Amino acid sequence: FCGKWYRMYPSSLTFWLGKIQLSMITFVADCLDGDDGSFANAFKPQEIKDTAWGAATLLSKRGDEEDKEVSDAEDDAVVRILRSTSQYLLQRADEFKPQEISNTIWAFATVGFGCEESAMDNNNEHYIFLTSDKSAEDRELVSRTLDAVAKSALPRLGRFRP
């Protein structure tokens, strides 16, 4: 049934999937930053990593034809998710496995979270730069997070298997 319905109304399905997507990502962002951090603290490192990775992947797959209002709302939700993720990683870097750390940092880099605004001058037309209302604070947060990751990694280097 779904295949037949989609062939008849492809734009309707795309419209509704977009609405669901925006609702879900906004819901996740609201949950993560809506309290004193207890919601995020209930997550395992893998779950936090998956949340950040999923949010960044969502934006990286977004097309150029997106509604500006929808894309602005998604951007805001992803910024809030990545802020929560960065705070979590900052506090609990020792609990993350190397793969979880690398996927989380990949999420930051993929959308330019915590980067200088000059990165917007990138010539790659598919480059994503997530704007923020607190870009200086986000850069500082990412910098502190990367420092915490580096400090956490140093004692573990001896256990690294090439």
Side-chain angles (χ1 to χ4, degrees), residues 53-120:
W53 181 88
T57 300
L58 175 78
L59 289 192
S60 72
K61 304 295 183 192
R62 184 166 64 193
D64 294 334
E65 67 281 346
E66 290 288 327
D67 179 328
K68 172 101 171 97
E69 187 176 319
V70 170
S71 61
D72 286 349
E74 279 180 345
D75 288 356
D76 175 66
V78 171
V79 165
R80 293 186 298 134
I81 288 169
L82 295 181
R83 282 180 186 146
S84 295
T85 300
S86 190
Q87 288 288 349
Y88 183 100
L89 182 55
L90 181 62
Q91 296 167 9
R92 297 172 62 179
D94 291 340
E95 297 175 32
F96 278 69
K97 296 176 185 169
Q99 186 68 46
E100 294 164 347
I101 290 172
S102 66
N103 286 101
T104 303
I105 302 306
W106 175 90
F108 294 168
T110 296
V111 297
F113 178 67
C115 292
E116 293 284 339
E117 289 184 31
S118 63
M120 290 174 58

Side-chain angles (χ1 to χ4, degrees), residues 4 8 26 66 70 73 102 105 121 157:
K4 182 179 178 183
M8 291 171 46
T26 302
E66 290 288 327
V70 170
S102 66
I105 302 306
D121 296 334
L157 285 178

Side-chain angles (χ1 to χ4, degrees), residues 136-157:
E137 291 92 341
D138 290 340
R139 278 193 301 281
E140 174 62 26
L141 177 60
V142 170
S143 177
R144 287 186 296 127
T145 301
L146 292 174
D147 284 345
V149 166
K151 288 175 185 165
S152 169
L154 285 175
R156 298 195 257 176
L157 285 178

